[in-house]
Amino acid sequence: MTALSQRPVDPVVGRAIPHESAALHVSGKALYTDDLAARTHGVLHAWPVQAPHAHALVTGLRTTPAMDVPGVVRVLTADDVPGTNDSGTKHDEPLFPTEVMFHGHAVAWVLAETQEAARLGAARVEVDYEPLPSIITLAEAIAAESFQGARPTIRRGDVGTGFAASAHVFSGEIQMGGQEHFYLETQACLAHVDEAGQVFVESSTQHPTETQEVVAHVLGLSSHSVTVQCLRMGGAFGGKEMQPHGYAAVAALGSVLTGRPVRVRLNRTQDLTMTGKRHPFHATWRAGFDAEGRFQALEATLTSDGGWSLDLSEPVLARALCHVDNAYWLPHVEVHGRVARTHKTSQTAFRGFGGPQGMLVVEDILGRCAPLLGIAAGELRRRNFYTPGQATPYGQRVRHAERIHAIWSQLEASGDVLARQREIAAFNAAQPHRRRALAMTPVKFGIAFNFTAFNQAGALVHVYKDGSVLINHGGTEMGQGLHTKMLQVAATSLGVPLARVRLAPTRTDKVPNTSATAASSSADLNGGAVKHACEQIRWRLAEVAARTLGVGAQDVLFADGRVTSDRGDQVLAFDDVVNLAYHQRISLWAAGFYRTEGLHWDMSRMQGEPFKYFAFGAAATEVEVDGFTGSYRLRRVDIVQDVGDSLSPLIDLGQIEGGFVQGAGWLTLEDLRWDTGDGPGRGRLTTPSASTYKLPSFSEMPQVFNVSFFEDAHDDGVVYGSKAVGEPPLMLALSVREALRQAAAAFGPPGHGVDLASPATPEAVYWAVEAAQASTKTAGTSAEAVATSAATTAVHAASPGEVGR
């Protein structure tokens, strides 16, 4: 067996090839879960009965009127559940609730011959409610002390000592919004039961094994009686890691009870109002710096809005706490975390999984404190970078910390940052109503699941007698290119052309006990498993070929469908060697397994080494802001990202570009709003469609968009030396928000700073510009008395003597 990161000569990995389904995507031929319903005979359609209250008791439920609607076959309620009426993994999410916990909560499901009949039937179901007091906002939850789950703390050193040694101490708070996944394909599943009672579920899920377990749990079956398949997803971004389980359980329950296939597919409004989103966060903080602007102490409390149930809120919070440091050394730190319970959808995983929220806290601190310290924001960041030998607040050494500095320098050079900053200064001096700014921010993102047990994967590889190859693995494809990379890994490992390898859909009866396709770890985990399976087969074939070639098995070489040795005097076709092996009764299939070594994590102490490695990157963003309206445009973005030795450069490039734009959407455009009034619509999502929820489009793309891979970035201990790329680029968009802050501040006097809401919508930028312009009229006011902006995130600058107050 070869070392995990070792590449052969001329490998298939590292080639820039298109996504394996690209032609199917653009031609409309790619099949998704809901497409399968049209190919299935006798399908019933499910429609939810949604509650019109944010919080209420269900005191009566009458389904008989729905049965009078032509085409309605059955109404599913809690009385129909043969197993456990719960669709979560924390046992806090009743599938059919008796207590409504958010506006739009489904209390029953109607099955009918057509979707329209199901909709009309759902409207006829009579439900009696007893409204209860509700908590909608984070501020309300904090005031009411409405919390759920664990309340972890990360601590190093003594913050009291750090503040006492600080030359400057500042305090403040920030509130950041959530984000809707808005995947193109909404939640969808199709279930049917065979003649033996075996339940088969087609689900658009990132976590087929967990979907399998929840379905079995609801039906009162063992896992071997339920098979879940994920053909492909039309986007997911974390929103299909936990959320699909309940819908799959509804479809499976309906199929078991009726004996017919059942389809659940949410329309866009249902998906927006019923599914979880990125967690909004609120943070209060106090930061101490020495005279040179280096962190001495940081104390913070992060509160996430978990919605009505825990879902993945605890691990999201843990990752947020683990990324408050981002790329910066914090000698004394104490960060507390808590999850608020509100009467909204149960917030869930979203690309970055809490990391972006944690990083935003520290980047906001540096952006707001830089003017108060009289240090350029970029320079303040650079001074605080980790250096080799230093460790994170949770005790993990930052391996390759020197790459942060190298990436920063490479970005400054490739982005011509210094010259452009001079041009921006000249532009701002000449333009009374427009301002430009350029900001740079780094990223250090830990790669692995915080929950150590999830860092494992399996694969099943078949080599057929004609030399063709079929692979199964436990990861799911949501457009991110995982399957493409696995095809390249298999072709490289076996030494065959890419065209000889095919990949089958992810199924729980092929590869069991899989982890979610999440945490940016899927290429690492599944790639390791695929490589392990392929190398078992290759070694068996090497032993067969060695007898013909007259060499030792260890000297047999596989490349491009040919089998030879170091001597090179004889060449065999891979297909012929396979045929020889078959006739010698040599196994031509193998199960592969991979577990990430070196991980350990004590959740109770928030200490250990939870990550295999860190992915580094940096971005430089230039913006232009209109002083009259607050509108802005991204003039140029330059990115340098550490992807190790890329498995598939074209795929990685797309992930970096897409992740950045999605992050920019979260930070500048996407503004989730709920009705917080006391009327009958309290708790209702008021942005339930693309017409009310602003998404990034081509018009928001930067005019110039340059992406470079960090060179000489091989990483030992990872499949073929590659590194994760799914989530880290999203956080590069923090540079957009910081550039907008600097541009707004440029409307004020030199050295003036402003606060900026998140998301930094044009309205929020307008108010920041107003605050900057107002400060020009009162230029005598000291920087320590910065006015509170519309974002209500004022910085208070305290002297070291005030720290004890």
Side-chain angles (χ1 to χ4, degrees):
M1 302 298 174
T2 61
L4 186 63
S5 64
Q6 180 182 340
R7 294 189 177 192
V9 176
D10 193 25
V12 179
V13 294
R15 298 181 189 174
I17 65 172
H19 189 285
E20 48 90 22
S21 293
L24 298 177
H25 291 158
V26 299
S27 65
K29 295 178 181 178
L31 289 177
Y32 295 88
T33 297
D34 198 48
D35 294 323
L36 303 175
R39 300 176 170 218
T40 306
H41 177 70
V43 173
L44 293 176
H45 304 261
W47 194 275
V49 178
Q50 293 183 261
H53 304 284
H55 191 201
L57 293 177
V58 178
T59 58
L61 181 63
R62 293 173 293 280
T63 63
T64 303
M67 301 303 297
D68 295 333
V69 175
V72 170
V73 173
R74 185 152 187 161
V75 180
L76 302 180
T77 69
D79 293 338
D80 295 313
V81 177
T84 303
N85 181 29
D86 193 275
S87 61
T89 60
K90 298 286 187 179
H91 310 297
D92 62 348
E93 298 183 40
L95 186 61
F96 299 98
T98 56
E99 182 179 359
V100 171
M101 296 298 287
F102 65 93
H103 198 287
H105 204 165
V107 298
W109 288 79
V110 175
L111 308 181
E113 300 288 351
T114 66
Q115 192 170 47
E116 179 63 7
R119 183 186 70 82
L120 295 173
R124 294 287 298 276
V125 174
E126 298 175 355
V127 188
D128 299 326
Y129 299 99
E130 179 186 329
L132 299 172
S134 59
I135 295 172
I136 304 302
T137 68
L138 256 176
E140 292 171 352
I142 293 171
E145 297 189 353
S146 175
F147 302 112
Q148 57 184 328
R151 297 175 69 161
T153 295
I154 283 183
R155 183 183 290 108
R156 174 171 60 197
D158 181 86
V159 291
T161 300
F163 284 124
S166 298
H168 308 278
V169 176
F170 308 104
S171 62
E173 62 180 321
I174 180 175
Q175 184 155 329
M176 61 200 80
Q179 186 178 19
E180 170 58 45
H181 301 89
F182 224 104
Y183 25 65
L184 290 179
E185 175 204 31
T186 58
Q187 298 283 346
C189 55
L190 176 68
H192 64 84
V193 182
D194 67 15
E195 76 283 356
Q198 176 77 20
V199 180
F200 186 78
V201 182
E202 297 273 7
S203 178
S204 182
T205 175
Q206 292 176 243
H207 201 342
T209 289
E210 201 164 78
T211 301
Q212 173 194 35
E213 291 169 348
V214 169
V215 169
H217 186 61
V218 170
L219 297 179
L221 300 173
S222 298
S223 290
H224 76 291
S225 296
V226 178
T227 299
V228 174
Q229 174 171 291
C230 179
L231 184 60
R232 60 166 59 85
M233 287 170 279
F237 312 115
K240 296 177 180 176
E241 183 172 347
M242 291 280 287
Q243 303 287 300
H245 308 336
Y247 305 118
V250 167
L253 175 62
S255 186
V256 167
L257 293 176
T258 64
R260 295 174 59 179
V262 173
R263 166 197 183 231
V264 173
R265 200 272 293 172
L266 303 186
N267 63 30
R268 182 61 65 185
T269 300
Q270 289 168 339
D271 201 285
L272 287 167
T273 57
M274 295 174 69
T275 66
K277 297 138 193 3
R278 185 187 294 280
H279 290 71
F281 268 67
H282 173 271
T284 57
W285 55 266
R286 188 168 52 147
F289 298 86
D290 66 14
E292 284 73 44
R294 293 182 176 85
F295 270 118
Q296 296 301 299
L298 175 63
E299 185 176 40
T301 297
L302 275 60
T303 307
S304 73
D305 183 346
W308 73 279
S309 67
L310 274 173
D311 194 274
L312 289 167
S313 294
E314 288 176 310
V316 165
L317 178 65
R319 185 169 280 262
L321 267 58
C322 287
H323 285 81
V324 164
D325 61 326
N326 193 9
Y328 310 112
W329 165 248
L330 306 173
H332 300 280
V333 58
E334 186 172 312
V335 184
H336 306 278
R338 55 191 182 179
V339 180
R341 186 196 301 274
T342 59
H343 294 106
K344 296 205 289 269
T345 53
S346 186
Q347 315 315 353
T348 191
F350 200 126
R351 196 176 194 172
F353 203 80
Q357 294 96 316
M359 290 185 188
L360 177 52
V361 172
V362 74
E363 294 299 342
D364 187 67
I365 291 171
L366 291 170
R368 291 159 70 176
C369 292
L372 304 178
L373 292 167
I375 303 173
E379 173 61 19
L380 181 62
R381 291 183 166 90
R382 187 192 62 77
R383 291 184 188 183
N384 283 284
F385 285 163
Y386 277 107
T387 57
Q390 292 178 334
T392 65
Y394 46 90
Q396 179 160 357
R397 184 174 67 87
V398 181
R399 190 164 60 95
H400 297 314
E402 68 281 357
R403 291 187 182 180
I404 305 172
H405 301 262
I407 287 171
W408 195 260
S409 297
Q410 181 178 327
L411 181 63
E412 285 183 321
S414 63
D416 201 16
V417 169
L418 296 180
R420 288 166 57 204
Q421 285 176 332
R422 290 192 291 269
E423 293 171 3
I424 288 168
F427 177 88
N428 290 348
Q431 296 289 333
H433 305 303
R434 288 186 292 161
R435 293 290 185 273
R436 292 177 181 172
L438 187 157
M440 293 174 60
T441 57
V443 163
K444 173 190 68 66
F445 189 77
I447 303 300
F449 288 94
N450 275 67
F451 184 55
T452 304
F454 284 167
N455 294 286
Q456 60 175 296
L460 180 63
V461 176
H462 297 164
V463 176
Y464 294 96
K465 287 188 290 183
D466 65 353
S468 61
V469 182
L470 176 69
I471 63 174
N472 286 90
H473 65 88
T476 55
E477 176 63 46
M478 61 196 86
Q480 84 280 34
L482 175 62
H483 284 355
T484 306
K485 290 184 175 183
M486 295 306 96
L487 290 169
Q488 290 180 269
V489 168
T492 299
S493 300
L494 289 171
V496 298
L498 188 63
R500 297 294 283 162
V501 186
R502 188 176 76 82
L503 193 144
T506 309
R507 284 174 60 126
T508 57
D509 61 353
K510 295 296 184 291
V511 180
N513 309 321
T514 59
S515 297
T517 302
S520 298
S521 298
S522 297
D524 294 352
L525 296 174
N526 294 287
V530 168
K531 187 172 186 286
H532 178 231
C534 290
E535 290 191 338
Q536 293 176 60
I537 298 170
R538 192 183 67 193
W539 178 254
R540 297 170 198 158
L541 295 176
E543 291 180 320
V544 172
R547 290 190 281 272
T548 300
L549 295 171
V551 298
Q554 69 276 8
D555 297 319
V556 175
L557 304 176
F558 293 79
D560 199 28
R562 298 185 298 273
V563 183
T564 185
S565 68
D566 290 333
R567 296 191 317 214
D569 57 346
Q570 188 176 0
V571 178
L572 306 175
F574 180 85
D575 299 357
D576 293 339
V577 175
V578 167
N579 192 264
L580 280 172
Y582 170 76
H583 283 93
Q584 294 176 24
R585 296 182 295 177
I586 303 297
S587 173
L588 294 172
W589 64 271
F593 181 76
Y594 175 78
R595 52 176 280 175
T596 309
E597 300 292 345
L599 305 180
H600 60 93
W601 180 242
D602 186 339
M603 184 65 191
S604 63
R605 297 190 306 116
M606 294 290 285
Q607 290 291 308
E609 295 198 8
F611 305 122
K612 177 66 175 178
Y613 57 86
F614 295 101
F616 303 109
T621 296
E622 181 181 341
V623 301
E624 182 177 311
V625 170
D626 184 301
F628 289 117
T629 65
S631 62
Y632 47 80
R633 57 193 177 107
L634 272 62
R635 287 176 44 80
R636 177 172 168 177
V637 172
D638 293 86
I639 291 172
V640 176
Q641 182 65 38
D642 174 13
V643 298
D645 291 337
S646 175
L647 291 176
S648 194
L650 200 59
I651 296 295
D652 287 349
L653 176 63
Q655 286 292 290
I656 293 169
E657 293 175 340
F660 179 89
V661 172
Q662 189 170 53
W666 170 53
L667 291 165
T668 66
L669 294 172
E670 301 180 46
D671 195 5
L672 289 163
R673 297 290 182 96
W674 281 267
D675 186 339
T676 57
D678 295 325
R682 178 173 171 81
R684 178 179 61 90
L685 182 69
T686 59
T687 52
S689 67
S691 63
T692 53
Y693 184 76
K694 176 69 172 172
L695 292 164
S697 62
F698 283 115
S699 61
E700 279 77 42
M701 290 285 286
Q703 295 170 296
V704 179
F705 201 174
N706 301 316
V707 177
S708 301
F709 296 159
F710 181 59
E711 299 176 356
D712 300 322
H714 178 87
D715 206 281
D716 292 330
V718 189
V719 62
Y720 290 127
S722 66
K723 294 179 77 170
V725 74
E727 292 172 299
L730 183 139
M731 286 144 277
L732 296 171
L734 291 164
S735 61
V736 178
R737 184 173 183 274
E738 289 306 304
L740 290 172
R741 180 206 304 281
Q742 293 176 24
F747 284 93
H752 176 76
V754 296
D755 301 339
L756 188 60
S758 186
T761 60
E763 180 185 6
V765 173
Y766 172 79
W767 290 115
V769 170
E770 284 280 290
Q773 291 173 333
S775 68
T776 302
K777 302 170 185 176
T778 57
T781 303
S782 68
E784 285 79 3
V786 175
T788 302
S789 76
T792 65
T793 55
V795 174
H796 167 67
S799 69
E802 295 179 301
V803 170
R805 294 183 183 177

